Amino acid sequence: MKKIVSVAPMMDCTDRHDRFFLRLISKNVMMYTEMVATKSALHGDRKKILGFSSEEKPLALQVGGSDKKELAEVSKIAEDMGYDEININLGCPSKKVQKNKFGACLMKEPELVAECINEMVNACNIPVTAKTRIGFDDTEDFDYLNNFILKMKDAGSKSFIMHARKAILKGLTPKQNLNIPKLNYEMVYKIKNENPDLNIIINGGISKVEEIKKHLKKCDGVMIGRVIYQNPYFLVDIEREIFNEKNNPTREEVAEKLLKYLEKEVKLGTKVNHIMRHTVGLYHGQIGSKKWKKYLSDNMMARDSDFQKAKHIMTIVQNNEKANQIIA
Ligand SMILES: Cc1cc2nc3c(=O)[nH]c(=O)nc-3n(C[C@H](O)[C@H](O)[C@H](O)COP(=O)(O)O)c2cc1C
């Protein structure tokens, strides 16, 4: 499985429609679902919560929980549904998540995490991975982090995504927790150095191809979140420069394929805005960017937007492409 670059799990962003859209741009990146709580996965509308289309693969299910039996059950379900990996969230600092005892607060409980991972590994045959921070509150200590990783390794996990900043569990909002604690890439590099047999994927604040190349000299993979959501076509730079992919789609081709998906999904009852909201950044940094955003907000963000309006979008796309070609 290629995991050199992956798109980060992001609540309210990387749902199945966003992943389908991103996959139209990039064949090679690994994708992650938004975090799904074990209880929702087990007791909710499974098709709605866990369903995906095969085009999205390779795809990991990210799960939030600390009940080992539930985690094991969800791991088996993930495997049966065709997910390529199951990932446990050990990095989310939100109050709600802490109250339910999952996410970053579990970094305080290495024994419990190891038990959970062990049960998950025993329950399925897909890789069980973890996404962590490098510390929490006053703890940003190499030995603590390394011992935590070693416990998870002993429990059967070989692959770790490390968001290179600590989580502040009290006093910062989730958004502040993505920006205020300082990035410390060296800590992640050191973990990789100390554990060359583990697959270490670095995450946090990575926004340029040059940075990806630099991190790949020290780690096994790079995970990127916000920059890809804001500028999905950045994936073409990644395809070209990192995966050496020469045949990449134009924005027009992406929009054309997305329309076919939209038509199919609308017939199944999906709202137009649930798909199109993810495409706001398609023209990021391009001449037609403002026009594209305005068209989307005027025509496609309402809950009752219809597909006929979506069809007209190709005119906007073609005009944008022409405008950019003239400048180029
Ligand atoms: C809107 C949003 C939602 C997020 N939801 C999740 C989530 O469900 N699970 C998770 O592990 N991390 C989540 N994160 C954190 C990202 O996966 C990632 O670790 C973080 O954004 C840092 O990477 P970046 O600087 O490339 O964005 C979220 C981040 C954002 C901005």
Side-chain angles (χ1 to χ4, degrees):
M1 194 194 314
K2 274 186 188 161
K3 282 183 66 168
I4 301 175
V5 181
S6 45
V7 180
M10 285 177 287
M11 233 18 153
D12 293 326
C13 300
T14 52
D15 62 15
R16 68 184 178 92
H17 304 309
D18 184 49
R19 297 187 308 258
F20 187 94
F21 165 59
L22 296 179
R23 186 60 81 207
L24 293 176
I25 309 175
S26 166
K27 286 190 240 172
N28 290 300
V29 290
M30 176 79 190
M31 304 266 194
Y32 286 76
T33 67
E34 308 159 272
M35 180 183 70
V36 178
T38 45
K39 286 204 172 28
S40 332
L42 293 173
H43 310 300
D45 178 344
R46 195 164 293 169
K47 193 163 167 249
K48 197 166 158 205
I49 296 169
L50 299 181
F52 63 91
S53 28
S54 58
E55 289 91 336
E56 295 164 41
K57 280 163 73 75
L59 176 64
L61 172 64
Q62 191 192 56
V63 69
S66 58
D67 179 313
K68 55 189 180 186
K69 294 285 169 230
E70 286 179 1
L71 284 163
E73 233 181 293
V74 176
S75 304
K76 180 77 181 90
I77 292 169
E79 178 181 19
D80 291 345
M81 287 184 76
Y83 281 96
D84 300 286
E85 171 186 325
I86 177 115
N87 173 270
I88 181 167
N89 183 327
L90 305 172
C92 179
S94 91
K95 273 209 185 95
K96 193 174 158 205
V97 159
Q98 287 186 55
K99 210 174 122 219
N100 290 312
K101 210 177 169 190
F102 45 90
C105 64
L106 291 175
M107 288 191 76
K108 293 180 186 171
E109 302 193 53
E111 301 293 341
L112 173 63
V113 171
E115 279 174 32
C116 290
I117 288 189
N118 190 252
E119 295 272 337
M120 293 166 81
V121 168
N122 288 335
C124 69
N125 291 306
I126 50 176
V128 176
T129 67
K131 181 167 180 279
T132 74
R133 296 279 185 140
I134 54 168
F136 55 91
D137 297 334
D138 293 331
T139 307
E140 187 172 326
D141 176 69
F142 175 76
D143 289 335
Y144 186 91
L145 183 63
N146 201 41
N147 284 334
F148 184 49
I149 297 287
L150 287 177
K151 282 222 157 59
M152 292 192 276
K153 176 189 162 182
D154 287 346
S157 185
K158 306 259 172 307
S159 190
F160 301 94
I161 301 156
M162 310 191 79
H163 183 176
R165 48 165 71 86
K166 67 178 178 180
I168 305 290
L169 297 170
K170 266 200 194 106
L172 291 188
T173 63
K175 194 168 176 197
Q176 289 171 323
N177 253 307
L178 291 172
N179 298 305
I180 293 178
K182 282 210 166 42
L183 284 162
N184 181 352
Y185 295 134
E186 289 302 325
M187 183 82 104
V188 182
Y189 298 160
K190 211 170 157 197
I191 293 283
K192 174 64 197 176
N193 250 346
E194 196 79 8
N195 304 281
D197 55 325
L198 296 180
N199 196 42
I200 302 293
I201 296 161
I202 193 164
N203 166 245
I206 301 163
S207 64
K208 294 188 178 73
V209 165
E210 285 319 308
E211 293 169 4
I212 299 175
K213 287 184 178 165
K214 198 183 101 199
H215 289 302
L216 286 178
K217 287 191 182 134
K218 312 246 183 179
C219 299
D220 303 290
V222 165
M223 174 178 266
I224 304 175
R226 288 164 288 182
V227 165
I228 289 178
Y229 195 76
Q230 287 149 17
N231 177 17
Y233 204 71
F234 176 50
L235 284 171
V236 164
D237 292 343
I238 293 174
E239 284 290 322
R240 201 187 308 113
E241 306 279 333
I242 306 293
F243 294 105
N244 211 10
E245 177 66 52
K246 305 243 169 2
N247 296 318
N248 293 299
T250 60
R251 291 178 176 82
E252 187 175 357
E253 285 162 349
V254 172
E256 217 167 308
K257 285 195 182 140
L258 189 69
L259 268 196
K260 291 205 179 99
Y261 174 74
L262 187 66
E263 186 168 17
K264 199 180 91 198
E265 282 290 326
V266 165
K267 281 187 190 139
L268 295 171
T270 304
K271 301 257 184 272
V272 170
N273 67 323
H274 285 184
I275 297 176
M276 296 312 289
R277 72 187 184 94
H278 299 302
T279 70
V280 170
L282 183 60
Y283 277 89
H284 181 91
Q286 300 286 297
I287 293 174
S289 161
K290 271 197 192 137
K291 231 191 260 170
W292 174 257
K293 282 186 198 162
K294 185 165 175 4
Y295 188 81
L296 286 179
S297 76
D298 289 352
N299 298 288
M300 246 155 282
M301 291 310 181
R303 296 191 116 254
D304 58 353
S305 307
D306 65 23
F307 180 68
Q308 292 314 316
K309 279 189 181 157
K311 272 188 176 166
H312 184 60
I313 211 159
M314 283 317 290
T315 323
I316 307 292
V317 168
Q318 280 151 3
N319 288 341
N320 281 354
E321 296 285 335
K322 268 188 219 144
N324 282 300
Q325 275 162 17
I326 289 165
I327 293 299

